[in-house]
């Protein structure tokens, strides 16, 4: 089963992915974590990614899709296991590319779990994390930009997946456990 965890910056995608991995043993692909690893290692991709991430902008579709394609080719066993996609797709072009890539492996996106969180709570969570972990894009200027980019470029995916019948909105303002219980219900009904 392939799941997309969808939501605004700070909505809990990473947190709920960890719970899903523990419960169902799926493979986790977080494009944000992948890019931060490249930045830490100082690779060419990392340098390019840093120039976008620090401005709260998305990495261009073509580059991001290539990165995913390479990952699939290098690790087809991950797709066989089932994947949680966290932070990908973020645009309609990425969603269409994902569908094409999964088709090559005779599979598809089975469910999209959308975490709905109020904007003031999103900002509170990211500022708090910025203080605790020092994540570079968790400052108010970059957070504001990330939220604008989310509304403009990523939020249209809600309608895209709703039209495909695979979007499951979940109230993400609750506790981690309560949210996870709702996600498990989506799994049970699939
Ligand atoms: P990415 O790393 O994906 O960041 P994001 O989407 O901004 O989301 P976050 O990781 O900040 O939040 P999250 O939803 O994972 O929430 P979390 O569980 O951490 O992307 C970073 C950047 O990389 C992008 O801006 C872009 O530049 C680039 N990028 C990545 N993917 C790309 C793509 N596909 N295309 C182009 N560019 C791409 O939770 C947040 C905090 O809240 C944590 O501290 C957590 O402990 C806390 N928390 C979680 N749940 C709860 C709860 N229920 N109650 C209270 N606190 C909670
Ligand atoms: Mg995350």
């Amino acid at each position: 089963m392939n799941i997309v965890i969808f939501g605004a910056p700070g909505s809990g995608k990473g947190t709920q992915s960890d719970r899903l991995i523990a419960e169902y043993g799926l493979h986790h692909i977080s494009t944000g974590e992948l890019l931060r690893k490249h930045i830490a290692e100082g690779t060419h991709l990392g340098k390019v990614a840093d120039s976008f991430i620090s401005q709260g902008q998305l990495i261009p579709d073509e580059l991001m899709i290539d990165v995913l394609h390479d990952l699939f080719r290098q690790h087809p066993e991950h797709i066989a296991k089932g994947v949680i996609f966290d932070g990908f797709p973020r645009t309609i072009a990425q969603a269409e590319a994902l569908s094409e890539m999964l088709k090559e492996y005779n599979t598809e996106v089975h469910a999209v779990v959308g975490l709905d969180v109020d904007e003031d709570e999103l900002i509170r969570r990211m500022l708090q994390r910025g203080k605790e972990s020092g994540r570079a894009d968790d400052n108010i200027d970059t957070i504001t930009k990330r939220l604008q980019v989310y509304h403009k470029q990523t939020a249209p995916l809600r309608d895209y997946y709703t039209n495909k019948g695979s979007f499951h909105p979940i109230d993400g303002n609750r506790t981690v456990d309560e949210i996870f219980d709702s996600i498990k219900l989506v799994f049970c009904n699939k």
Side-chain angles (χ1 to χ4, degrees):
M1 184 139 163
N2 300 306
I3 304 291
V4 173
I5 297 277
F6 179 83
S11 58
K13 301 184 293 293
T15 303
Q16 295 300 329
S17 292
D18 289 345
R19 301 293 298 266
L20 282 164
I21 296 158
E23 183 93 8
Y24 298 105
L26 298 168
H27 182 74
H28 183 210
I29 295 181
S30 159
T31 42
E33 279 175 21
L34 179 84
L35 296 169
R36 282 188 288 280
K37 190 162 173 275
H38 276 271
I39 293 172
E41 289 168 359
T43 65
H44 175 67
L45 172 62
K47 288 189 179 109
V48 175
D50 195 22
S51 65
F52 290 97
I53 292 178
S54 60
Q55 300 302 313
Q57 299 290 344
L58 298 184
I59 276 69
D61 281 338
E62 206 179 314
L63 177 57
M64 203 66 245
I65 290 164
D66 273 355
V67 169
L68 259 282
H69 222 151
D70 286 349
L71 208 62
F72 279 26
R73 284 200 202 99
Q74 284 159 15
H75 296 288
E77 73 278 11
H78 293 163
I79 301 161
K81 200 174 171 191
V83 177
I84 305 166
F85 292 95
D86 160 2
F88 187 95
R90 260 177 149 98
T91 61
I92 303 280
Q94 291 183 13
E96 285 178 346
L98 178 61
S99 158
E100 285 304 308
M101 285 188 269
L102 289 175
K103 220 181 270 173
E104 285 175 34
Y105 297 88
N106 297 315
T107 187
E108 61 183 338
V109 169
H110 295 97
V112 179
V113 171
L115 300 173
D116 290 329
V117 179
D118 297 340
E119 198 129 317
D120 52 352
E121 172 66 4
L122 294 172
I123 295 170
R124 189 196 68 74
R125 288 183 192 177
M126 286 187 275
L127 288 177
Q128 182 63 29
R129 184 179 52 193
K131 273 192 232 152
E132 287 164 4
S133 76
R135 190 168 131 178
D137 56 350
D138 281 342
N139 62 77
I140 192 64
D141 289 346
T142 315
I143 289 170
T144 306
K145 196 77 220 168
R146 283 158 71 194
L147 289 169
Q148 284 169 355
V149 165
Y150 168 77
H151 288 299
K152 188 154 182 246
Q153 293 180 259
T154 306
L157 284 174
R158 294 177 70 95
D159 284 347
Y160 176 87
Y161 281 118
T162 301
N163 290 338
K164 287 187 181 295
S166 47
F167 194 77
H168 302 269
I170 281 178
D171 177 4
N173 291 294
R174 298 167 296 159
T175 67
V176 171
D177 284 344
E178 286 168 336
I179 298 164
F180 188 57
D181 284 344
S182 298
I183 296 178
K184 278 199 286 190
L185 284 180
V186 173
F187 260 74
C188 293
N189 293 324
K190 276 280 151 191

